[in-house]
Amino acid sequence: MITILSGGTGTPKLIQGIKKIYDEEEINVIVNTVENDYFSGVYVAADIDTVLYTFTDMINEDTWYGIKNDTFITHERLAEIGQAELLRIGDKDRATKIQKTLLLEEYPLSEAVDIQRKKLGIKSKIIPMSNENSEIKIETEEHGEVEFHDFLIKYQGKPKVKSVNYSKVNPNPEVIESIKKSDKIIIGPSNPITSIMPIISLKGVKDELIKKEVVAVSPFIGEEPVSGPAGKFMSASGHLSSSIGVAKIYESFLNTLIIDNKDLDMKETLEKIIPNIKITNTIMKNIEDKINLAKLTIEN
């Protein structure tokens, strides 16, 4: 069995490759929850829903959020009547979120997600990192402290970042159990600061990761992230915006770091931090790229 640590963009692309070559019943995915919040009265767990849609091949690959070919009748009507939404939520996607909101009246988040993944016919286990409510805020130079989604959507990720602050929550008990039972842990190329660090900072997680074979895919090429504001968040958190910074964050437990061909010049430096460095194409433009990268993460 393998366990994947995931956020909502880079890692789902890798999951697409892994599920083509690995038994889905032997895959667990632990998903970040600090970005979850309520919008327009519904509970939005964007990273979890992206993983759900990835396993069902419903994911909108243009945005890595929501369902492909969705309609936006409700979203557009809300704007027409003066209730414009920060998030652009599709109609089918909204149904998923409404169901989750209703389930949360009776069940913890982990059980609500398990009900949904079973209804969707997903064989893999999808594990929210915590059942507790949390929040993440970005301290900016221009606007002070702002909500995470405001930073990304309202301000389009443009402000200068001074710090990233998120809630400390307790792990969903399934998190530790999944890591203990796994033969290998794969950290996908998601944002190290806002997607992966909240998971590995949970009580007991690092202690278990140290005991396991752990491989990570760097989300950087040179000093630039493949996508999103990861570079700004790394710098604001005191880390180099590069695969070297990623290696430093994960060095206490990481066995293998996979970097892009363009970062060959970093290999010697990285080998002083992480025991094993693998070099390949990490830009996943098509399913062949995703499968090739998946094979490299799974092979010994």
Side-chain angles (χ1 to χ4, degrees):
M1 187 175 78
I2 60 172
T3 290
I4 303 167
L5 308 190
S6 180
T9 49
T11 303
K13 294 179 184 179
L14 180 62
I15 289 171
Q16 286 182 323
I18 291 175
K19 74 188 190 77
K20 291 286 187 183
I21 63 172
Y22 205 83
D23 183 354
E24 287 192 29
E25 292 184 1
E26 294 296 313
I27 300 172
N28 287 356
V29 185
I30 298 171
V31 189
N32 171 42
T33 62
V34 296
E35 300 167 19
N36 297 6
D37 206 346
Y38 283 85
F39 295 89
S40 301
V42 296
Y43 185 76
V44 175
D47 290 359
I48 289 171
D49 289 345
T50 294
V51 172
L52 287 170
Y53 300 152
T54 297
F55 273 103
T56 55
D57 298 323
M58 296 163 57
I59 186 67
N60 181 347
E61 294 189 37
D62 292 329
T63 59
W64 288 97
Y65 173 81
I67 295 172
K68 61 185 175 184
N69 302 319
D70 207 347
T71 57
F72 294 86
I73 297 169
T74 305
H75 174 80
E76 291 164 1
R77 181 58 181 159
L78 283 169
E80 289 172 2
I81 61 176
Q83 195 65 44
E85 298 179 296
L86 177 67
L87 294 181
R88 188 169 185 259
I89 305 173
D91 298 312
K92 292 180 181 178
D93 185 26
R94 193 183 302 271
T96 301
K97 291 167 171 45
I98 290 171
Q99 183 195 34
K100 193 181 284 89
T101 305
L102 294 172
L103 287 170
L104 286 172
E105 294 178 2
E106 299 182 53
Y107 305 100
L109 179 60
S110 57
E111 290 186 39
V113 171
D114 206 46
I115 290 169
Q116 289 190 308
R117 68 101 183 169
K118 288 176 180 176
K119 287 287 186 181
L120 290 168
I122 299 170
K123 297 177 182 178
S124 298
K125 187 76 173 175
I126 299 173
I127 304 168
M129 71 173 223
S130 179
N131 286 324
E132 298 178 4
N133 292 330
S134 57
E135 63 180 6
I136 181 168
K137 294 187 177 181
I138 311 300
E139 182 71 27
T140 70
E141 288 191 7
E142 298 92 330
H143 308 287
E145 189 175 69
V146 300
E147 298 289 341
F148 181 76
H149 292 92
D150 282 341
F151 175 81
L152 290 181
I153 302 169
K154 181 178 178 180
Y155 298 114
Q156 300 179 325
K158 292 179 180 178
K160 294 181 180 179
V161 178
K162 296 173 66 177
S163 65
V164 179
N165 306 294
Y166 51 83
S167 305
K168 300 300 181 184
V169 293
N170 291 308
N172 167 7
E174 293 177 86
V175 168
I176 302 298
E177 180 183 357
S178 178
I179 295 172
K180 283 183 175 180
K181 290 182 176 179
S182 292
D183 301 306
K184 177 174 282 190
I185 312 299
I186 298 171
I187 301 176
S190 294
N191 189 315
I193 303 301
T194 58
S195 294
I196 304 301
M197 279 295 288
I199 301 173
I200 64 178
S201 297
L202 294 168
K203 184 178 180 180
V205 168
K206 280 188 182 179
D207 292 340
E208 295 303 325
L209 290 177
I210 290 169
K211 304 171 186 176
K212 295 294 179 176
E213 181 73 19
V214 184
V215 57
V217 178
S218 174
F220 282 86
I221 296 178
E223 295 182 355
E224 296 297 325
V226 174
S227 64
K232 286 186 174 185
F233 294 161
M234 291 281 282
S235 298
S237 301
H239 301 287
L240 292 175
S241 175
S242 69
S243 292
I244 294 172
V246 175
K248 286 286 189 179
I249 291 174
Y250 299 157
E251 68 176 322
S252 65
F253 54 81
L254 191 63
N255 302 102
T256 301
L257 179 64
I258 299 174
I259 63 172
D260 192 79
N261 293 320
K262 294 178 182 177
D263 282 346
L264 177 62
D265 60 339
M266 293 186 188
K267 186 172 185 289
E268 186 175 342
T269 300
L270 286 167
E271 286 176 333
K272 296 175 183 177
I273 306 169
I274 304 299
N276 187 29
I277 304 298
K278 293 182 179 181
I279 302 175
T280 190
N281 168 47
T282 61
I283 301 296
M284 293 176 278
K285 293 182 179 179
N286 52 52
I287 191 59
E288 288 77 18
D289 292 340
K290 295 166 186 176
I291 290 173
N292 289 336
L293 186 55
K295 287 178 179 176
L296 201 60
T297 64
I298 289 172
E299 70 181 23
N300 292 326

